[in-house]
Amino acid sequence: MTHSAPKKPPVKKQGKKDSQLIIRINAQERDDFVALCESLDTSAAREIRRFIRAFHKEHE
């Protein structure tokens, strides 16, 4: 008789990411930002989303 592990409920995401925001910045500034994010084990997109949420909350 074999027992299967109980199924874990699916992980809920904060919200579906279905839109893009295109910005133009200096290439060196972008490269430095991406490198810093990588060194901190995060992504540039994650940090920009975090900034947007904090900025929005601050100015509600």
Side-chain angles (χ1 to χ4, degrees):
M1 185 159 134
T2 61
H3 292 88
S4 59
K7 291 186 178 182
K8 294 181 182 179
V11 176
K12 289 193 174 191
K13 295 183 179 181
Q14 284 186 325
K16 185 176 180 182
K17 296 170 189 78
D18 60 357
S19 186
Q20 292 182 344
L21 176 65
I22 299 171
I23 62 169
R24 297 187 60 83
I25 62 172
N26 174 282
Q28 187 62 54
E29 193 173 33
R30 178 217 176 265
D31 293 346
D32 292 346
F33 179 67
V34 170
L36 178 58
C37 289
E38 288 176 357
S39 74
L40 296 171
D41 196 29
T42 187
S43 70
R46 180 181 297 138
E47 295 308 314
I48 292 169
R49 286 191 298 269
R50 188 170 64 90
F51 166 78
I52 291 171
R53 289 183 191 115
F55 186 84
H56 185 263
K57 187 174 182 177
E58 180 182 337
H59 294 92
E60 283 186 308

